[in-house]
């Protein structure tokens, strides 16, 4: 089953750019926008975000000599800076 969506109050230059890009790709504007929505939802899924986070963690070497107390102090400082303590 499908449903109709409507986008209102789109700036004319943005609408023109979207139409031009759709034409360049030989797609209807509707198909182009559906493709954009699908790609955005896939890129921002929980699985994709988790994979990016794990990749970032793997890219950073472990800190040697870090104690549990150091970690607790850093968490406490971060909470204080965010106004959570």
């Amino acid at each position: 089953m499908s449903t109709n969506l409507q986008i209102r109050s789109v700036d004319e230059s943005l609408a023109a750019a979207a139409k031009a890009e759709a034409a360049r790709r030989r797609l209807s504007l509707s198909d182009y926008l559906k493709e954009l929505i699908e790609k955005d939802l896939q890129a921002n899924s929980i699985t994709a975000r988790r994979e990016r986070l794990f990749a970032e963690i793997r890219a950073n070497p472990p800190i040697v000599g870090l104690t549990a107390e150091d970690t607790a102090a850093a968490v406490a400082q971060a909470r204080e800076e965010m106004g959570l303590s």
Side-chain angles (χ1 to χ4, degrees), residues 28-62:
S28 67
L29 180 59
S30 181
D31 286 342
Y32 172 62
L33 295 175
K34 285 188 282 186
E35 188 178 281
L36 286 178
I37 292 168
E38 185 176 350
K39 285 180 182 178
D40 184 70
L41 291 173
Q42 288 173 355
N44 292 301
S45 71
I46 291 173
T47 302
R49 290 194 316 246
R50 185 179 300 129
E51 288 172 0
R52 288 192 300 267
L53 174 62
F54 289 161
E56 184 178 335
I57 291 169
R58 283 190 300 272
N60 292 301

Side-chain angles (χ1 to χ4, degrees), residues 10-22:
V10 177
D11 184 71
E12 287 183 28
S13 62
L14 180 60
K19 288 177 186 177
E21 183 60 21

